[in-house]
Amino acid sequence: MSSQSQVLENFVKRLLASLDETNPQELAKVLQLVNPTSCKIIVNSTPFAQPGAFLELWQSSVVQTQHVITGMDYHVIPGTGTLICSMSGKVRFDESGRDKTGMDAVVPGAAGNTGTTGAGPSAKPRPLWGPYFGVSLQLVLDDRVLANDFNAVMSSLNYTMVYAPDDSLMDL
Amino acid sequence: MNGTFQVANNVGFMAQQAALQNRVKVGVRGWQNATKQDLINFVSRKTRIAICDSYVEGELVVGYVNSRQDASSLLNWNGVRFAGNALRFEIIAEGNGMSNISGIPGTSNTIQLLKSFLFRRYNVQTRMLDLGNLKNDPELMSNGLFSSTSTQSKMFPALMKLASRESQLVVESVNLSNNSLRDVNGISSLAQTFPRLKNLCLANNQISRFRSLEVWKGKFKELRELLMANNPVVTDPMYKTEILRLFPKLVVLDSILLRDEAKLQSVYSIPTKIQQFFFETNELGQSSIDFVSNFLNLWDSDRAQLMGLYTPQSQFSVSVDSSVPSSSVPNADQNPSLSFYLSLSRNLTKISSEKTKLMRLATGQEAIDRLFRSLPKTKHLLQEQPLNYSVEAWSYPQVQGFIISLHGFFDEIEKPELDANKAVSSTAGRSRRFNHSHSNTTSKLGKKSFDRTWIIVPNQGHVVIASDLLTVRPYADGSWSKPTDTLPTSTLQAMPGQPASETPAPTLTPSVASGVPTSQIQLPPEIQAKMTPLQLDILNRLHNQTKLNAEYTYMLAEQSGWNFDVAIKGFQNSVQNIPQGAFL
């Protein structure tokens, strides 16, 4: 028996875990959580008309991430069938210079050996985690999420990086 | 010749002391039974104040302390016993600037010399500081600044110190070729002075080992191009690999393209550039900023006045995120005091008891008011420091309203009106075990960062807060408020159209004041629980305008599809046919 807030925490964990995936198929699982008719997505104050557009950008232009939840609270809004969840946490980035597919920016052959580039899935290099950034996340979800129904429950997501370490290689 | 030599010594002196403009010359008497070094060691051990560059002058030991403050605290130690005698401390000369701290003539002269040298070697157009071939510079040579290896090694840090003080030196490129460098130890301070350097030339030196470059690992994060030609190290088979490792954003090495710049940028950037504001529509922008500034004004001055914005269904809770940000986050509070909030915190990742989860959610004005009064009194600096706040606002169709999310900080100025710890301990015995750890002496007031999310249901100048979620966390500078090099903060603040800095338009103030409904409609709780804040709001307004009783107000609202205007029209059309008993 898990309580409603644990179910909600599981939902947020699943959402963030999907965002932390490097495999596009795993990342696409976010779409199953999203309300297909309308889902407002705002990331660092940038809105996305389509969840797909956001996921595509996240897959192609953001390196591997690792999220940690450090705080969560929610209110069920009576009469609306929805709830608002506010979460705080932290995120760090793979600062090894490789993207989600393991490709780095080194020009092939330039380093004298090609070993640094595209070593292939068998020798997948480990991520080099940078320092943590602070994250504040607000979600509007259908209240059936509390009954363990995660299917298409999310109707808005606001993701904001609230603090940034100055020794990170990442440009915000 | 003697004079030249003196100047040369000054370079070394200055290199060590360039930062110590405020040094104060002090003297110590009464130390006769010991050596000077014993005395200096004793003073440093006893008073924790270091006297440097000391020398004996008659019966005095003369030296320098770092600041006027150190000097005056040293005076407090007058009479301390050392080697059988009482010591006397005295201030001989207070320094302000280099020229009068030492009595050695020519120090300020040397600074002037190096300064003019810096500006002569700086090119404004290319933003390049050319420090190549220093030992053959005629001006430096004629002043004897390169008369010995020791002055040479001190010369560079001194130059760097001076350069970092000159704000008009915007340096993107540095040339250090032809300086007979064997390693970069002597020039390592380059990374502190110009951390955002883009191009560096070290060609024609004697650098032979990577190890010496290791001091720059993780520094120069913007370094794009490096020239190392004609150094022994370039023949090492690991040369390129090692350089790539040391400088993660290096693109060009010795004129050869090593990294794909576009790819590099995409790897090290987050495509959604962080911005201070997001509003789904322009109107939402203005009203959100009005709401936030008015709300926080009252939150800081008189929280009871906010009660009119909350209904019996409104919910408020506080969640404490006690995770401490990394020390490399600008101004992050590494030792936060969150004890005022912890006993109120509804951080659901930390609470396991269902009862506690329920208890820490305030529903309705009375509970919300009590929770408000249990939080420290605050001051938000939205007007004074608008750059430290970030707002997003977007619609929430299910409540026909919107969400405002605010990130920023506040100052705690006074302890809470209600002591939450006491209130809890009277209700439950188990909280007694917290008594000693929650003593009020450990609760200190300070600066906190926060995220606050309101669900707002507006209706014709009237606003209701359906939900209010506050996260309190240790203070850290906002990621969006990073000062840019090109735009100083003052210009940003003076910029027109900076929404948060505008004096708030009073559009919401009257509604906050008049937000207290004249008379609340009395509904059976089971019906009330099923209604949205918007529906409740319509009911209340219909109730006040038509003076119908609860049952008929509800019927009217339902028949008109929960549209206030339709309902009023229907009421006016059929007012004759409504039985007298339907009115209050």
Side-chain angles (χ1 to χ4, degrees), chain B residues 219-239:
Chain B
K219 311 276 164 47
F220 293 129
K221 285 185 289 200
E222 311 295 319
L223 192 68
R224 190 185 168 277
E225 182 166 359
L226 176 66
L227 273 169
M228 295 277 289
N230 291 323
N231 281 282
V233 74
V234 303
T235 58
D236 192 297
M238 292 298 284
Y239 172 58

Side-chain angles (χ1 to χ4, degrees), chain B residues 6 38 40 74 77 101 103 108 156 161 192 195 208 237 247 256 268 293 322 370 385 442 452 492 539 560 566:
Chain B
Q6 185 109 62
D38 282 344
I40 298 299
L74 202 57
W77 289 91
I101 55 167
S108 69
F156 192 80
K161 269 284 188 256
Q192 278 86 57
S208 59
F247 305 105
I256 296 167
Y268 285 119
S293 26
S322 51
R370 193 173 337 110
Q385 301 174 28
T442 59
R452 193 162 188 171
L492 266 181
L539 280 186
S560 52
V566 173

Side-chain angles (χ1 to χ4, degrees), chain A residues 4-129:
Chain A
Q4 294 196 322
S5 59
Q6 276 168 324
V7 172
L8 196 55
E9 197 178 333
N10 289 342
F11 176 84
V12 179
K13 275 185 183 156
R14 185 183 296 184
L15 171 70
L16 295 177
S18 295
L19 291 179
D20 288 345
E21 284 288 346
T22 53
N23 180 342
Q25 264 112 50
E26 291 294 321
L27 184 62
K29 285 185 178 168
V30 173
L31 285 175
Q32 299 168 8
L33 310 175
V34 167
N35 181 334
T37 51
S38 99
C39 181
K40 296 172 202 298
I41 292 190
I42 306 152
V43 177
N44 286 341
S45 299
T46 306
F48 287 86
Q50 296 297 326
F54 160 67
L55 288 180
E56 226 173 279
L57 191 73
W58 190 264
Q59 167 68 28
S60 65
S61 309
V62 181
V63 294
Q64 191 180 354
T65 54
Q66 200 175 55
H67 284 89
V68 180
I69 304 176
T70 50
M72 193 193 79
D73 196 0
Y74 76 102
H75 292 162
V76 177
I77 311 302
T80 63
T82 59
L83 61 86
I84 177 140
C85 172
S86 181
M87 175 236 129
S88 63
K90 42 191 191 172
V91 63
R92 55 184 183 173
F93 297 90
D94 174 10
E95 296 189 357
S96 67
R98 288 179 294 265
D99 65 12
K100 281 196 169 100
T101 65
M103 292 291 288
D104 64 17
V106 177
V107 174
N113 57 342
T114 48
T116 50
T117 323
S122 56
K124 199 165 189 276
R126 285 189 197 194
L128 215 68
W129 296 118

Side-chain angles (χ1 to χ4, degrees), chain B residues 152-210:
Chain B
Q152 274 179 44
S153 64
K154 286 165 182 168
M155 155 104 170
F156 192 80
L159 270 178
M160 287 298 101
K161 269 284 188 256
L162 281 175
S164 58
R165 275 195 234 147
E166 301 297 327
S167 56
Q168 64 267 55
L169 287 181
V170 180
V171 176
E172 287 182 354
S173 310
V174 168
N175 175 23
L176 278 161
S177 60
N178 298 300
N179 279 316
S180 315
L181 298 167
R182 297 182 155 274
D183 52 46
V184 299
N185 294 338
I187 56 171
S188 63
S189 56
L190 190 69
Q192 278 86 57
T193 310
F194 306 117
R196 314 189 73 171
L197 194 68
K198 291 197 170 94
N199 308 293
L200 174 62
C201 176
L202 290 168
N204 302 325
N205 284 300
Q206 261 88 61
I207 299 169
S208 59
R209 297 167 66 169
F210 298 118

